[in-house]
Amino acid sequence: MWRESNSIKPKDQVSVITWLDYDAPQSAIPVADGPLIPEARDGSYAIKGGPILDEFLKGAKVAHSNESEGSGHTTVVGHSYGSTVVAEAAKNGARPDDVIVAGSPGMQAKHHTDLGIKDDHMWAMVAEGDIVPSVGRLSALQEGGIVPSDTQFGSANMATDTIGHSDYWKRREDGQASLSLQNQARVIVGEYEEVEINQK
């Protein structure tokens, strides 16, 4: 992520932080992962993790402000159940400049504005073969059967060229960034007009 973002705007100072500081669900597939009802269908993990992410984001903003002029530009990327955690952070007051979700099973809201996310700054991705959003519509993680990649949610649905649930950050065999990765990097550095959107 950092490599691609930095390649677009090498003169900007870009930082990427991988945040996993919450008790994440450990099962997603019934029986195969253990319990008949997987932990990933339970929104309580996100409800507990959201405030922790909110506090982290607030701390990061303060730290950035103390070290440089201005508050910078923050993009939060939530993959899979992580997108539900991002939603709970938003309910607790988190206000990043942009939110990207990939393979989201739901954000427990019908529209991004219900979470305080600004118009034109909510982005969603669903790769070919990623069944998680479809399964999410039947879980407790959605609201009204709506997930972020649905038109009703109001996200800009970014084009992808990767396959399945876990390759949104994968590079091509020739070493070049996938379109999925490129689009995320374009949002991160604020090159919104360069983001390829799926036209519905």
Side-chain angles (χ1 to χ4, degrees):
M1 186 78 78
W2 177 86
R3 176 180 170 186
E4 186 59 24
S5 300
N6 189 63
S7 72
I8 297 173
K9 284 194 172 181
K11 293 183 179 180
D12 285 4
Q13 292 184 330
V14 179
S15 297
V16 174
I17 300 171
T18 301
W19 183 87
L20 297 168
D21 190 23
Y22 80 107
D23 182 19
Q26 299 301 304
S27 57
I29 303 174
V31 182
D33 286 348
L36 178 61
I37 301 176
E39 292 178 356
R41 293 175 63 93
D42 185 350
S44 66
Y45 296 89
I47 291 171
K48 294 175 183 176
I52 303 172
L53 176 56
D54 175 42
E55 288 301 314
F56 174 81
L57 291 170
K58 288 175 180 174
K61 186 172 184 177
V62 170
H64 185 279
S65 298
N66 289 340
E67 293 296 324
S68 61
E69 295 182 6
S71 58
H73 181 102
T74 300
T75 301
V76 175
V77 182
H79 175 236
S80 195
Y81 193 91
S83 66
T84 315
V85 178
V86 172
E88 291 300 327
K91 291 177 184 178
N92 278 271
R95 293 294 179 266
D97 298 286
D98 286 286
V99 173
I100 300 172
V101 297
S104 173
M107 296 181 80
Q108 298 181 322
K110 292 182 178 180
H111 196 270
H112 67 272
T113 54
D114 297 339
L115 302 172
I117 300 170
K118 296 174 288 186
D119 285 331
D120 301 320
H121 293 278
M122 177 72 219
W123 312 81
M125 306 180 80
V126 180
E128 180 182 346
D130 187 349
I131 66 169
V132 169
S134 295
V135 173
R137 293 187 187 95
L138 304 175
S139 76
L141 307 181
Q142 49 72 39
E143 183 71 29
I146 299 170
V147 298
S149 51
D150 291 335
T151 303
Q152 303 96 305
F153 196 82
S155 304
N157 278 286
M158 298 192 288
T160 64
D161 60 349
T162 47
I163 304 296
H165 186 59
S166 301
D167 287 345
Y168 293 97
W169 300 272
K170 190 174 182 179
R171 302 186 81 82
R172 298 170 181 158
E173 291 184 3
D174 61 3
Q176 297 299 309
S178 64
L179 177 60
S180 304
L181 180 55
Q182 289 177 42
N183 275 334
Q184 292 175 79
R186 290 163 180 161
V187 172
I188 288 171
V189 299
E191 294 286 346
Y192 304 127
E193 68 281 359
E194 299 298 325
V195 177
E196 292 191 34
I197 302 297
N198 285 327
Q199 302 298 326
K200 292 187 176 182

